[in-house]
């Protein structure tokens, strides 16, 4: 080990906190690449009798270092708390699962009975969930009370794996007479979407022991919200429910309101930025009248709630003895509605409990609440059906083409002409009907082919090509992800670096096609998918991307827009990156 590394580690160890049963290296920025670099930590663990908690937040642990630490944990039978958030900074995603597997195997071998497992802010994706799958199913987690996996990029696949592991853990622990009683579940910013949320809801319903659920910014729509609502009804001790920045719409909000009627222990509800709308807010107000007796905080901000619904909510909390805070900011009350709300809160002696209304969006221009939800949801379902039918038609067309090709080859052989090789897919075919498989079949020089065949002097065609390429982005498929990002880089680097580059026109046209900017021409925006925003987030970090457009993009990502409701997690990732990249004023 280099002398400066030794000095850094020695200094860190000098700052190591040793509490009652706890060894903490929190926030020390240690870079542990191998067993040698982890030797002093290993020694400290080995010499710590009765070790119950190890804090490794804010360090970076490689595979070999993790194995060494795991070896030291193998005889720590009293171990209970894994505070391991932000523990793999700068590591390749492929390094994290084996590191987690080593640590998990050690805890199982030790006979530990965990209470806390915190792996938040480790961007390990679905593979990372596989890395803790065996641990979660083992007796070491039969006693688990807190599971924190915030901002881990689990995706739908990871959510399903996690749900299955929790279900198995509950089954096995129940057979032993002491069923898993998880109390705190945290999984915000994980792109779980409906399928992931529905899978987890089934596990939640089975356990019935939850006291806190935090699942903000997961791209969950009314189907997933409804499933979670049903699950919450079976968790009577629930105290905190945070689903901020998902998309309830009327259906989800009404389902959740029905569930709240059955819950008597809830103290904090955060449905901010969830688009509950007027009818959903009225349903929640109805639930408030006779239920939720010890509620303290209610957040219904930025939900397109109108004046009447907001007043109904305020009127429903006036008899809540323990109530402390109501947030209705960013809704559609109008100036007069805001004044009425303030007056009502003052009249019932709750004026100081009303949050700011400074971001109120004014009265809605058109009364679309009654039909908006139904139409939007029906359109979503129709679009999903159209996509499925389109994919089936593509597959049938490709099969027919292959059969026709085989027939032609057969005929050719009868005429003593040599058979020709099947024609590989070309860029035009991919851009006409984009799919991950077609992109991969373009081969390793796909980026060069796209650069050659897309006319970047035509802004409209360039934007269309970007949207087509990014639409097949898959976070969970590393091969497809790499192919998409390489293709995006090839297209946009050429677009922004040509002598005649029209960068502002490109950004404007892109915002129009995403439905974020109105156009004088009759342009039909595309349905926004997560890939569009995640690829734009990737591009914004590259050197070819014009810095002068960062602020403009950030402004549009900060505004509330129906166009982005289906992919709020991706929007938040893009918004966060743009915020960080903004030039200093």
């Amino acid at each position: 080990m280099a002398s400066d590394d030794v000095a850094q580690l020695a200094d860190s160890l000098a700052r190591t906190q040793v509490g009652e049963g706890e060894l903490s290296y929190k926030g020390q920025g240690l870079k542990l690449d191998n067993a040698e670099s982890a030797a002093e930590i290993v020694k400290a663990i080995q010499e710590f009798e009765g070790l119950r908690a190890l804090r490794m937040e804010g360090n970076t642990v490689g595979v070999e270092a993790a194995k060494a630490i795991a070896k030291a944990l193998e005889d720590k039978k009293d171990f209970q708390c894994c505070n391991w958030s932000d523990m793999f900074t700068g590591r390749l995603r492929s390094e994290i699962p084996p590191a987690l597997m080593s640590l998990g195997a050690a805890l199982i071998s030790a006979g530990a009975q965990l209470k806390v497992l915190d792996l938040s802010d480790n961007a390990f994706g679905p593979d990372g969930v596989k890395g803790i799958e065996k641990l979660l199913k083992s007796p070491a987690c039969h006693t688990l009370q807190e599971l924190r996996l915030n901002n881990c990029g689990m995706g739908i696949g990871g959510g399903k794996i996690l749900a299955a592991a929790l279900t198995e853990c509950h089954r096995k622990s129940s057979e032993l007479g002491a069923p898993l009683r998880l109390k705190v579940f945290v999984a915000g910013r994980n792109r779980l979407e409906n399928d992931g949320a529905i899978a987890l809801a089934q596990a939640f319903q089975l356990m019935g022991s939850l006291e806190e659920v935090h699942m903000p910014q997961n791209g969950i729509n009314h189907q997933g919200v409804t499933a979670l609502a049903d699950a919450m009804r079976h968790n009577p001790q629930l105290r905190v429910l945070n689903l901020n920045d998902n998309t309830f719409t009327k259906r989800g909000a009404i389902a959740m309101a029905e569930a709240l009627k059955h819950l008597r222990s809830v103290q904090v509800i955060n449905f901010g930025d969830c688009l509950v709308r007027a009818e959903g807010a009225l349903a929640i107000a109805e639930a408030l009248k006779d239920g939720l007796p010890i509620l303290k905080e209610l957040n219904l901000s930025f939900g397109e709630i109108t004046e009447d619904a907001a007043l109904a909510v305020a009127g429903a909390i006036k008899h809540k003895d323990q109530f402390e805070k109501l947030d209705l900011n960013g809704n559609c009350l109008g100036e007069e509605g805001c004044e009425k709300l303030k007056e009502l809160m003052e009249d019932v002696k709750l004026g100081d409990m009303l949050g700011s209304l400074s971001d109120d969006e004014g009265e809605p221009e058109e009364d679309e609440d009654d039909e908006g939800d139904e139409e939007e949801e029906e359109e979503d379902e129709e679009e999903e059906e159209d996509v499925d039918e389109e994919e089936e038609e593509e597959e049938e067309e490709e099969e027919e083409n292959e059969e026709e090709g085989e027939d032609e080859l057969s005929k050719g052989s009868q005429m003593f002409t040599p058979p020709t090789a099947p024609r590989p897919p070309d860029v035009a075919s991919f851009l006409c009907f984009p799919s991950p498989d077609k992109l991969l079949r373009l081969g390793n020089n796909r980026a060069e082919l796209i650069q050659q065949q897309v006319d970047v002097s035509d802004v409209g065609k360039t934007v269309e090509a970007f949207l087509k390429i990014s639409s097949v982005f898959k976070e969970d498929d590393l091969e497809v992800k790499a192919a998409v990002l390489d293709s995006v880089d090839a297209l946009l680097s050429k677009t922004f670096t040509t002598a005649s580059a029209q960068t502002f026109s490109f950004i404007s046209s892109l915002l129009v096609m995403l439905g974020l900017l109105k156009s004088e021409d009759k342009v039909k925006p595309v349905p926004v998918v997560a890939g569009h925003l995640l690829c734009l987030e990737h591009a914004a970090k590259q050197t070819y991307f014009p810095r002068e457009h960062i602020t403009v993009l950030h402004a549009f990502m900060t505004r509330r827009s129906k166009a982005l409701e289906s992919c709020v997690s991706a929007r938040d990732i893009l918004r966060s990156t743009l915020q960080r990249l903004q030039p200093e004023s």
Side-chain angles (χ1 to χ4, degrees), residues 468-497:
K468 291 290 183 68
I469 295 167
S470 57
S471 70
V472 303
F473 179 90
K474 286 187 175 183
E475 182 69 44
D476 301 344
D477 190 321
L478 296 182
E479 185 179 13
V480 172
K481 179 180 179 180
V484 169
L485 295 182
D486 286 346
S487 301
V488 165
D489 285 339
L491 175 68
L492 296 189
S493 62
K494 183 178 180 182
T495 300
F496 292 136
T497 57

PDB file of all heavy atoms in Angstrom, residues 468-497:
ATOM      1  N   LYS A 468     -36.452   8.279 -31.708  1.00  0.00           N
ATOM      2  CA  LYS A 468     -36.606   6.870 -32.075  1.00  0.00           C
ATOM      3  C   LYS A 468     -35.533   6.021 -31.399  1.00  0.00           C
ATOM      4  O   LYS A 468     -35.810   4.934 -30.870  1.00  0.00           O
ATOM      5  CB  LYS A 468     -36.517   6.719 -33.602  1.00  0.00           C
ATOM      6  CG  LYS A 468     -37.687   7.310 -34.369  1.00  0.00           C
ATOM      7  CD  LYS A 468     -38.952   6.518 -34.174  1.00  0.00           C
ATOM      8  CE  LYS A 468     -40.129   7.058 -34.987  1.00  0.00           C
ATOM      9  NZ  LYS A 468     -39.961   6.874 -36.433  1.00  0.00           N
ATOM     10  N   ILE A 469     -34.298   6.497 -31.427  1.00  0.00           N
ATOM     11  CA  ILE A 469     -33.191   5.734 -30.817  1.00  0.00           C
ATOM     12  C   ILE A 469     -33.399   5.616 -29.312  1.00  0.00           C
ATOM     13  O   ILE A 469     -33.303   4.533 -28.729  1.00  0.00           O
ATOM     14  CB  ILE A 469     -31.837   6.415 -31.114  1.00  0.00           C
ATOM     15  CG1 ILE A 469     -31.542   6.390 -32.617  1.00  0.00           C
ATOM     16  CG2 ILE A 469     -30.704   5.719 -30.352  1.00  0.00           C
ATOM     17  CD1 ILE A 469     -30.400   7.292 -33.024  1.00  0.00           C
ATOM     18  N   SER A 470     -33.691   6.744 -28.669  1.00  0.00           N
ATOM     19  CA  SER A 470     -33.815   6.740 -27.206  1.00  0.00           C
ATOM     20  C   SER A 470     -35.050   5.999 -26.723  1.00  0.00           C
ATOM     21  O   SER A 470     -35.118   5.591 -25.562  1.00  0.00           O
ATOM     22  CB  SER A 470     -33.814   8.175 -26.671  1.00  0.00           C
ATOM     23  OG  SER A 470     -34.838   8.945 -27.257  1.00  0.00           O
ATOM     24  N   SER A 471     -36.028   5.793 -27.597  1.00  0.00           N
ATOM     25  CA  SER A 471     -37.257   5.102 -27.186  1.00  0.00           C
ATOM     26  C   SER A 471     -37.020   3.641 -26.857  1.00  0.00           C
ATOM     27  O   SER A 471     -37.828   3.018 -26.152  1.00  0.00           O
ATOM     28  CB  SER A 471     -38.327   5.209 -28.283  1.00  0.00           C
ATOM     29  OG  SER A 471     -37.976   4.423 -29.411  1.00  0.00           O
ATOM     30  N   VAL A 472     -35.910   3.049 -27.343  1.00  0.00           N
ATOM     31  CA  VAL A 472     -35.653   1.625 -27.077  1.00  0.00           C
ATOM     32  C   VAL A 472     -34.661   1.447 -25.928  1.00  0.00           C
ATOM     33  O   VAL A 472     -34.200   0.335 -25.660  1.00  0.00           O
ATOM     34  CB  VAL A 472     -35.144   0.895 -28.343  1.00  0.00           C
ATOM     35  CG1 VAL A 472     -36.137   1.043 -29.475  1.00  0.00           C
ATOM     36  CG2 VAL A 472     -33.770   1.400 -28.783  1.00  0.00           C
ATOM     37  N   PHE A 473     -34.344   2.539 -25.239  1.00  0.00           N
ATOM     38  CA  PHE A 473     -33.418   2.487 -24.104  1.00  0.00           C
ATOM     39  C   PHE A 473     -33.941   1.546 -23.032  1.00  0.00           C
ATOM     40  O   PHE A 473     -35.117   1.552 -22.690  1.00  0.00           O
ATOM     41  CB  PHE A 473     -33.260   3.890 -23.523  1.00  0.00           C
ATOM     42  CG  PHE A 473     -32.343   3.983 -22.327  1.00  0.00           C
ATOM     43  CD1 PHE A 473     -30.987   4.220 -22.479  1.00  0.00           C
ATOM     44  CD2 PHE A 473     -32.853   3.847 -21.043  1.00  0.00           C
ATOM     45  CE1 PHE A 473     -30.156   4.327 -21.374  1.00  0.00           C
ATOM     46  CE2 PHE A 473     -32.026   3.949 -19.931  1.00  0.00           C
ATOM     47  CZ  PHE A 473     -30.677   4.182 -20.102  1.00  0.00           C
ATOM     48  N   LYS A 474     -33.042   0.709 -22.489  1.00  0.00           N
ATOM     49  CA  LYS A 474     -33.399  -0.210 -21.397  1.00  0.00           C
ATOM     50  C   LYS A 474     -32.339  -0.126 -20.314  1.00  0.00           C
ATOM     51  O   LYS A 474     -31.201  -0.518 -20.524  1.00  0.00           O
ATOM     52  CB  LYS A 474     -33.506  -1.658 -21.900  1.00  0.00           C
ATOM     53  CG  LYS A 474     -34.751  -1.955 -22.715  1.00  0.00           C
ATOM     54  CD  LYS A 474     -34.837  -3.446 -22.996  1.00  0.00           C
ATOM     55  CE  LYS A 474     -36.139  -3.806 -23.700  1.00  0.00           C
ATOM     56  NZ  LYS A 474     -36.239  -5.279 -23.904  1.00  0.00           N
ATOM     57  N   GLU A 475     -32.729   0.382 -19.144  1.00  0.00           N
ATOM     58  CA  GLU A 475     -31.795   0.504 -18.025  1.00  0.00           C
ATOM     59  C   GLU A 475     -31.310  -0.858 -17.554  1.00  0.00           C
ATOM     60  O   GLU A 475     -30.162  -1.017 -17.145  1.00  0.00           O
ATOM     61  CB  GLU A 475     -32.488   1.237 -16.870  1.00  0.00           C
ATOM     62  CG  GLU A 475     -31.603   1.468 -15.658  1.00  0.00           C
ATOM     63  CD  GLU A 475     -30.487   2.469 -15.910  1.00  0.00           C
ATOM     64  OE1 GLU A 475     -30.769   3.516 -16.526  1.00  0.00           O
ATOM     65  OE2 GLU A 475     -29.349   2.202 -15.501  1.00  0.00           O
ATOM     66  N   ASP A 476     -32.190  -1.863 -17.644  1.00  0.00           N
ATOM     67  CA  ASP A 476     -31.878  -3.178 -17.101  1.00  0.00           C
ATOM     68  C   ASP A 476     -31.076  -4.058 -18.061  1.00  0.00           C
ATOM     69  O   ASP A 476     -30.597  -5.121 -17.666  1.00  0.00           O
ATOM     70  CB  ASP A 476     -33.167  -3.919 -16.727  1.00  0.00           C
ATOM     71  CG  ASP A 476     -33.979  -3.156 -15.705  1.00  0.00           C
ATOM     72  OD1 ASP A 476     -33.413  -2.247 -15.084  1.00  0.00           O
ATOM     73  OD2 ASP A 476     -35.164  -3.476 -15.540  1.00  0.00           O
ATOM     74  N   ASP A 477     -30.962  -3.674 -19.323  1.00  0.00           N
ATOM     75  CA  ASP A 477     -30.234  -4.464 -20.319  1.00  0.00           C
ATOM     76  C   ASP A 477     -28.982  -3.684 -20.714  1.00  0.00           C
ATOM     77  O   ASP A 477     -29.034  -2.735 -21.487  1.00  0.00           O
ATOM     78  CB  ASP A 477     -31.129  -4.698 -21.544  1.00  0.00           C
ATOM     79  CG  ASP A 477     -30.530  -5.713 -22.518  1.00  0.00           C
ATOM     80  OD1 ASP A 477     -29.296  -5.677 -22.709  1.00  0.00           O
ATOM     81  OD2 ASP A 477     -31.287  -6.523 -23.082  1.00  0.00           O
ATOM     82  N   LEU A 478     -27.844  -4.111 -20.182  1.00  0.00           N
ATOM     83  CA  LEU A 478     -26.614  -3.344 -20.373  1.00  0.00           C
ATOM     84  C   LEU A 478     -26.200  -3.262 -21.842  1.00  0.00           C
ATOM     85  O   LEU A 478     -25.662  -2.248 -22.290  1.00  0.00           O
ATOM     86  CB  LEU A 478     -25.489  -3.961 -19.542  1.00  0.00           C
ATOM     87  CG  LEU A 478     -25.686  -3.919 -18.018  1.00  0.00           C
ATOM     88  CD1 LEU A 478     -24.482  -4.528 -17.311  1.00  0.00           C
ATOM     89  CD2 LEU A 478     -25.910  -2.499 -17.540  1.00  0.00           C
ATOM     90  N   GLU A 479     -26.434  -4.339 -22.605  1.00  0.00           N
ATOM     91  CA  GLU A 479     -26.047  -4.338 -24.019  1.00  0.00           C
ATOM     92  C   GLU A 479     -26.876  -3.334 -24.803  1.00  0.00           C
ATOM     93  O   GLU A 479     -26.339  -2.544 -25.595  1.00  0.00           O
ATOM     94  CB  GLU A 479     -26.216  -5.739 -24.612  1.00  0.00           C
ATOM     95  CG  GLU A 479     -25.713  -5.843 -26.051  1.00  0.00           C
ATOM     96  CD  GLU A 479     -25.862  -7.237 -26.646  1.00  0.00           C
ATOM     97  OE1 GLU A 479     -26.583  -8.064 -26.035  1.00  0.00           O
ATOM     98  OE2 GLU A 479     -25.285  -7.489 -27.699  1.00  0.00           O
ATOM     99  N   VAL A 480     -28.184  -3.351 -24.578  1.00  0.00           N
ATOM    100  CA  VAL A 480     -29.062  -2.403 -25.273  1.00  0.00           C
ATOM    101  C   VAL A 480     -28.766  -0.978 -24.821  1.00  0.00           C
ATOM    102  O   VAL A 480     -28.693  -0.055 -25.639  1.00  0.00           O
ATOM    103  CB  VAL A 480     -30.543  -2.746 -25.012  1.00  0.00           C
ATOM    104  CG1 VAL A 480     -31.459  -1.660 -25.552  1.00  0.00           C
ATOM    105  CG2 VAL A 480     -30.889  -4.086 -25.641  1.00  0.00           C
ATOM    106  N   LYS A 481     -28.573  -0.800 -23.525  1.00  0.00           N
ATOM    107  CA  LYS A 481     -28.278   0.531 -22.987  1.00  0.00           C
ATOM    108  C   LYS A 481     -27.025   1.114 -23.631  1.00  0.00           C
ATOM    109  O   LYS A 481     -27.017   2.279 -24.059  1.00  0.00           O
ATOM    110  CB  LYS A 481     -28.094   0.444 -21.471  1.00  0.00           C
ATOM    111  CG  LYS A 481     -27.756   1.764 -20.807  1.00  0.00           C
ATOM    112  CD  LYS A 481     -27.597   1.587 -19.304  1.00  0.00           C
ATOM    113  CE  LYS A 481     -27.228   2.893 -18.616  1.00  0.00           C
ATOM    114  NZ  LYS A 481     -27.069   2.726 -17.150  1.00  0.00           N
ATOM    115  N   ALA A 482     -25.968   0.307 -23.722  1.00  0.00           N
ATOM    116  CA  ALA A 482     -24.715   0.782 -24.318  1.00  0.00           C
ATOM    117  C   ALA A 482     -24.905   1.120 -25.792  1.00  0.00           C
ATOM    118  O   ALA A 482     -24.385   2.137 -26.287  1.00  0.00           O
ATOM    119  CB  ALA A 482     -23.625  -0.270 -24.151  1.00  0.00           C
ATOM    120  N   ALA A 483     -25.667   0.282 -26.503  1.00  0.00           N
ATOM    121  CA  ALA A 483     -25.902   0.524 -27.929  1.00  0.00           C
ATOM    122  C   ALA A 483     -26.683   1.812 -28.143  1.00  0.00           C
ATOM    123  O   ALA A 483     -26.377   2.597 -29.051  1.00  0.00           O
ATOM    124  CB  ALA A 483     -26.662  -0.659 -28.531  1.00  0.00           C
ATOM    125  N   VAL A 484     -27.685   2.050 -27.318  1.00  0.00           N
ATOM    126  CA  VAL A 484     -28.491   3.274 -27.437  1.00  0.00           C
ATOM    127  C   VAL A 484     -27.648   4.511 -27.154  1.00  0.00           C
ATOM    128  O   VAL A 484     -27.660   5.479 -27.923  1.00  0.00           O
ATOM    129  CB  VAL A 484     -29.699   3.222 -26.469  1.00  0.00           C
ATOM    130  CG1 VAL A 484     -30.385   4.585 -26.394  1.00  0.00           C
ATOM    131  CG2 VAL A 484     -30.695   2.165 -26.914  1.00  0.00           C
ATOM    132  N   LEU A 485     -26.882   4.488 -26.059  1.00  0.00           N
ATOM    133  CA  LEU A 485     -26.094   5.669 -25.688  1.00  0.00           C
ATOM    134  C   LEU A 485     -24.987   5.944 -26.701  1.00  0.00           C
ATOM    135  O   LEU A 485     -24.695   7.108 -27.003  1.00  0.00           O
ATOM    136  CB  LEU A 485     -25.516   5.492 -24.282  1.00  0.00           C
ATOM    137  CG  LEU A 485     -26.552   5.414 -23.149  1.00  0.00           C
ATOM    138  CD1 LEU A 485     -25.855   5.291 -21.798  1.00  0.00           C
ATOM    139  CD2 LEU A 485     -27.477   6.620 -23.158  1.00  0.00           C
ATOM    140  N   ASP A 486     -24.366   4.903 -27.229  1.00  0.00           N
ATOM    141  CA  ASP A 486     -23.352   5.090 -28.280  1.00  0.00           C
ATOM    142  C   ASP A 486     -23.978   5.745 -29.510  1.00  0.00           C
ATOM    143  O   ASP A 486     -23.379   6.633 -30.138  1.00  0.00           O
ATOM    144  CB  ASP A 486     -22.730   3.750 -28.673  1.00  0.00           C
ATOM    145  CG  ASP A 486     -21.772   3.232 -27.605  1.00  0.00           C
ATOM    146  OD1 ASP A 486     -21.392   4.015 -26.720  1.00  0.00           O
ATOM    147  OD2 ASP A 486     -21.412   2.045 -27.674  1.00  0.00           O
ATOM    148  N   SER A 487     -25.167   5.290 -29.866  1.00  0.00           N
ATOM    149  CA  SER A 487     -25.853   5.835 -31.041  1.00  0.00           C
ATOM    150  C   SER A 487     -26.271   7.285 -30.812  1.00  0.00           C
ATOM    151  O   SER A 487     -26.157   8.127 -31.708  1.00  0.00           O
ATOM    152  CB  SER A 487     -27.079   4.970 -31.372  1.00  0.00           C
ATOM    153  OG  SER A 487     -26.705   3.631 -31.619  1.00  0.00           O
ATOM    154  N   VAL A 488     -26.752   7.571 -29.615  1.00  0.00           N
ATOM    155  CA  VAL A 488     -27.126   8.948 -29.269  1.00  0.00           C
ATOM    156  C   VAL A 488     -25.908   9.863 -29.330  1.00  0.00           C
ATOM    157  O   VAL A 488     -25.963  10.969 -29.887  1.00  0.00           O
ATOM    158  CB  VAL A 488     -27.768   8.991 -27.856  1.00  0.00           C
ATOM    159  CG1 VAL A 488     -27.829  10.420 -27.329  1.00  0.00           C
ATOM    160  CG2 VAL A 488     -29.160   8.384 -27.893  1.00  0.00           C
ATOM    161  N   ASP A 489     -24.793   9.393 -28.775  1.00  0.00           N
ATOM    162  CA  ASP A 489     -23.562  10.195 -28.810  1.00  0.00           C
ATOM    163  C   ASP A 489     -23.126  10.478 -30.247  1.00  0.00           C
ATOM    164  O   ASP A 489     -22.721  11.598 -30.576  1.00  0.00           O
ATOM    165  CB  ASP A 489     -22.439   9.474 -28.057  1.00  0.00           C
ATOM    166  CG  ASP A 489     -22.614   9.538 -26.549  1.00  0.00           C
ATOM    167  OD1 ASP A 489     -23.328  10.433 -26.076  1.00  0.00           O
ATOM    168  OD2 ASP A 489     -22.038   8.684 -25.861  1.00  0.00           O
ATOM    169  N   ALA A 490     -23.201   9.449 -31.083  1.00  0.00           N
ATOM    170  CA  ALA A 490     -22.788   9.622 -32.482  1.00  0.00           C
ATOM    171  C   ALA A 490     -23.661  10.650 -33.192  1.00  0.00           C
ATOM    172  O   ALA A 490     -23.172  11.529 -33.910  1.00  0.00           O
ATOM    173  CB  ALA A 490     -22.844   8.281 -33.208  1.00  0.00           C
ATOM    174  N   LEU A 491     -24.974  10.543 -32.978  1.00  0.00           N
ATOM    175  CA  LEU A 491     -25.908  11.454 -33.645  1.00  0.00           C
ATOM    176  C   LEU A 491     -25.756  12.883 -33.150  1.00  0.00           C
ATOM    177  O   LEU A 491     -25.622  13.823 -33.944  1.00  0.00           O
ATOM    178  CB  LEU A 491     -27.340  10.962 -33.409  1.00  0.00           C
ATOM    179  CG  LEU A 491     -28.455  11.870 -33.935  1.00  0.00           C
ATOM    180  CD1 LEU A 491     -28.445  11.890 -35.458  1.00  0.00           C
ATOM    181  CD2 LEU A 491     -29.820  11.399 -33.426  1.00  0.00           C
ATOM    182  N   LEU A 492     -25.754  13.057 -31.829  1.00  0.00           N
ATOM    183  CA  LEU A 492     -25.755  14.419 -31.288  1.00  0.00           C
ATOM    184  C   LEU A 492     -24.398  15.095 -31.363  1.00  0.00           C
ATOM    185  O   LEU A 492     -24.317  16.318 -31.498  1.00  0.00           O
ATOM    186  CB  LEU A 492     -26.257  14.401 -29.842  1.00  0.00           C
ATOM    187  CG  LEU A 492     -27.708  13.953 -29.644  1.00  0.00           C
ATOM    188  CD1 LEU A 492     -28.152  14.176 -28.211  1.00  0.00           C
ATOM    189  CD2 LEU A 492     -28.650  14.688 -30.598  1.00  0.00           C
ATOM    190  N   SER A 493     -23.322  14.329 -31.268  1.00  0.00           N
ATOM    191  CA  SER A 493     -21.997  14.953 -31.403  1.00  0.00           C
ATOM    192  C   SER A 493     -21.832  15.546 -32.799  1.00  0.00           C
ATOM    193  O   SER A 493     -21.290  16.644 -32.965  1.00  0.00           O
ATOM    194  CB  SER A 493     -20.894  13.937 -31.116  1.00  0.00           C
ATOM    195  OG  SER A 493     -20.937  12.868 -32.044  1.00  0.00           O
ATOM    196  N   LYS A 494     -22.342  14.831 -33.800  1.00  0.00           N
ATOM    197  CA  LYS A 494     -22.283  15.366 -35.167  1.00  0.00           C
ATOM    198  C   LYS A 494     -23.236  16.551 -35.311  1.00  0.00           C
ATOM    199  O   LYS A 494     -22.896  17.566 -35.935  1.00  0.00           O
ATOM    200  CB  LYS A 494     -22.648  14.269 -36.166  1.00  0.00           C
ATOM    201  CG  LYS A 494     -22.541  14.717 -37.626  1.00  0.00           C
ATOM    202  CD  LYS A 494     -22.865  13.573 -38.575  1.00  0.00           C
ATOM    203  CE  LYS A 494     -22.764  14.038 -40.030  1.00  0.00           C
ATOM    204  NZ  LYS A 494     -23.117  12.942 -40.974  1.00  0.00           N
ATOM    205  N   THR A 495     -24.413  16.441 -34.698  1.00  0.00           N
ATOM    206  CA  THR A 495     -25.417  17.508 -34.797  1.00  0.00           C
ATOM    207  C   THR A 495     -24.894  18.826 -34.226  1.00  0.00           C
ATOM    208  O   THR A 495     -25.069  19.893 -34.820  1.00  0.00           O
ATOM    209  CB  THR A 495     -26.694  17.100 -34.032  1.00  0.00           C
ATOM    210  OG1 THR A 495     -27.213  15.904 -34.613  1.00  0.00           O
ATOM    211  CG2 THR A 495     -27.742  18.200 -34.092  1.00  0.00           C
ATOM    212  N   PHE A 496     -24.246  18.744 -33.062  1.00  0.00           N
ATOM    213  CA  PHE A 496     -23.849  19.963 -32.351  1.00  0.00           C
ATOM    214  C   PHE A 496     -22.472  20.490 -32.739  1.00  0.00           C
ATOM    215  O   PHE A 496     -22.113  21.595 -32.323  1.00  0.00           O
ATOM    216  CB  PHE A 496     -23.890  19.725 -30.841  1.00  0.00           C
ATOM    217  CG  PHE A 496     -25.279  19.518 -30.299  1.00  0.00           C
ATOM    218  CD1 PHE A 496     -25.539  18.519 -29.382  1.00  0.00           C
ATOM    219  CD2 PHE A 496     -26.329  20.322 -30.705  1.00  0.00           C
ATOM    220  CE1 PHE A 496     -26.807  18.326 -28.870  1.00  0.00           C
ATOM    221  CE2 PHE A 496     -27.613  20.138 -30.210  1.00  0.00           C
ATOM    222  CZ  PHE A 496     -27.851  19.141 -29.293  1.00  0.00           C
ATOM    223  N   THR A 497     -21.700  19.714 -33.475  1.00  0.00           N
ATOM    224  CA  THR A 497     -20.337  20.154 -33.796  1.00  0.00           C
ATOM    225  C   THR A 497     -20.135  20.518 -35.264  1.00  0.00           C
ATOM    226  O   THR A 497     -19.046  20.942 -35.640  1.00  0.00           O
ATOM    227  CB  THR A 497     -19.314  19.066 -33.406  1.00  0.00           C
ATOM    228  OG1 THR A 497     -19.634  17.841 -34.070  1.00  0.00           O
ATOM    229  CG2 THR A 497     -19.308  18.843 -31.909  1.00  0.00           C
TER     230      THR A 497
END
